[in-house]
Amino acid sequence: MWKAIAFYLVSGIIVESLIADPADGTLEVLLRTVMAFTSIATLLLFMRKWHYFGQLFTAIFICENFIMTLAIGAEVLDLVMVMEHYEHREEVSIGLASFLVVWYISIISYILRQMFSFRMSISIIAAFSYFVLTYGLPMMFMDI
């Protein structure tokens, strides 16, 4: 679990530093990590399944790491397209980002559905809520 968190912190800081200034990126990644821990802990306490914390946290962070690795590749591709003055760079970048977000929510939904035997609709809502809590709130906090 700790290796997954360390990898997430390093790769997240790389991605956010490519997008914004490194200090803001580091703070945002730390806030996302705290929100992820809090969200998962709250869900497990509510479901009375705290003993699954390590397993669920590791599964979600392995997913996060995989998506973050792909995001680093997308950022590098964006940089190459900027250097080459590619005309449709924004459309490609937005398309890749949208694909990664949908894929991320799908994987988290699958993890939650398998762990708690949720119906598909409930697992998608829970995964989307998790995404908003772990990415939306820290991003909103950074914009303030």
Side-chain angles (χ1 to χ4, degrees):
M1 180 171 90
W2 296 110
K3 291 177 186 176
I5 294 170
F7 184 86
Y8 175 77
L9 290 172
V10 170
S11 60
I13 290 169
I14 289 170
V15 168
E16 292 300 327
S17 295
L18 290 171
I19 296 171
D21 119 53
D24 286 346
T26 301
L27 182 58
E28 186 171 341
V29 171
L30 291 173
L31 286 171
R32 285 197 316 237
T33 305
V34 168
M35 287 305 299
F37 177 82
T38 305
S39 301
I40 293 168
T42 303
L43 174 67
L44 290 173
L45 285 173
F46 179 74
M47 301 288 293
R48 293 188 178 109
K49 295 189 177 191
W50 180 253
H51 55 282
Y52 289 126
F53 181 80
Q55 185 179 3
L56 181 61
F57 199 79
T58 303
I60 287 176
F61 266 78
I62 294 298
C63 166
E64 298 261 4
N65 290 341
F66 181 67
I67 297 295
M68 198 62 71
T69 302
L70 295 176
I72 290 171
E75 287 295 325
V76 170
L77 178 63
D78 187 62
L79 180 64
V80 169
M81 288 189 294
V82 166
M83 300 296 243
E84 297 293 323
H85 304 290
Y86 186 70
E87 185 177 337
H88 301 286
R89 178 193 67 83
E90 288 182 13
E91 291 87 357
V92 171
S93 295
I94 290 170
L96 280 173
S98 299
F99 173 75
L100 289 176
V101 168
V102 169
W103 195 10
Y104 172 80
I105 291 172
S106 300
I107 294 171
I108 298 297
S109 172
Y110 178 79
I111 290 169
L112 294 174
R113 192 174 64 222
Q114 294 299 314
M115 173 123 344
F116 300 113
S117 300
F118 287 158
R119 290 189 326 244
M120 185 177 290
S121 58
I122 299 297
S123 67
I124 291 171
I125 291 169
F128 183 76
S129 300
Y130 176 79
F131 176 77
V132 169
L133 286 172
T134 56
Y135 284 87
L137 286 180
M139 191 179 299
M140 187 175 72
F141 177 79
M142 295 305 295
D143 287 342
I144 293 177

